[in-house]
């Protein structure tokens, strides 16, 4: 009977240690997130964008990827499909970009 109690205490202690570790990680994540928000640099607000945004897909070697960008209700949505380039048997690419052709400068 004494062995059963010792075993139960060990499991309970291990569980409590695990709970403490998880709580520590969660707390550290919250602190890191709060710190990151203070250091956040807004590149663009899609409520009133100052830059012209475009997409580009894999245009060479028979690329089949596709993408698009849309602004609706102040939210910019970049959506697409990266496909295998048949002639290379390798993935293509999609990207969203701006050249700052609008009236605003970059904040960084």
């Amino acid at each position: 009977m004494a062995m059963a109690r010792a075993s139960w205490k060990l499991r309970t202690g291990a569980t409590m240690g695990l709970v403490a570790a998880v709580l520590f990680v969660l707390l550290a994540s919250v602190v890191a997130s709060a710190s990151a928000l203070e250091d956040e640099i807004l590149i663009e607000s899609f409520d009133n964008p100052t830059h012209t945004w475009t997409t580009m897909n894999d245009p060479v070697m028979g690329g089949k990827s596709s993408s698009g960008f849309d602004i609706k209700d102040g939210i910019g949505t970049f959506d697409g499909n990266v496909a295998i380039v048949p002639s290379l048997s390798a993935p293509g690419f999609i990207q969203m970009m701006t050249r700052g052709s609008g009236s605003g400068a970059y904040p960084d």
Side-chain angles (χ1 to χ4, degrees), residues 22-65:
V22 168
L23 288 175
F24 176 77
V25 169
L26 288 174
L27 179 60
S29 296
V30 168
V31 170
S33 295
S35 176
L37 289 176
E38 292 171 7
D39 296 334
E40 188 174 291
I41 297 173
L42 180 65
I43 295 174
E44 181 76 274
S45 169
F46 293 113
D47 288 326
N48 186 20
T50 58
H51 297 91
T52 302
W53 294 88
T54 60
T55 63
M56 185 165 92
N57 309 312
D58 45 12
V60 297
M61 308 282 290
K64 304 278 185 199
S65 299

Side-chain angles (χ1 to χ4, degrees), residues 47-99:
D47 288 326
N48 186 20
T50 58
H51 297 91
T52 302
W53 294 88
T54 60
T55 63
M56 185 165 92
N57 309 312
D58 45 12
V60 297
M61 308 282 290
K64 304 278 185 199
S65 299
S66 62
S67 66
F69 178 71
D70 185 43
I71 299 173
K72 184 176 180 182
D73 299 326
I75 297 172
T77 303
F78 173 58
D79 188 33
N81 180 46
V82 177
I84 299 295
V85 177
S87 62
L88 300 175
S89 296
F93 70 88
I94 61 174
Q95 67 182 13
M96 181 176 129
M97 63 184 154
T98 185
R99 299 201 190 285

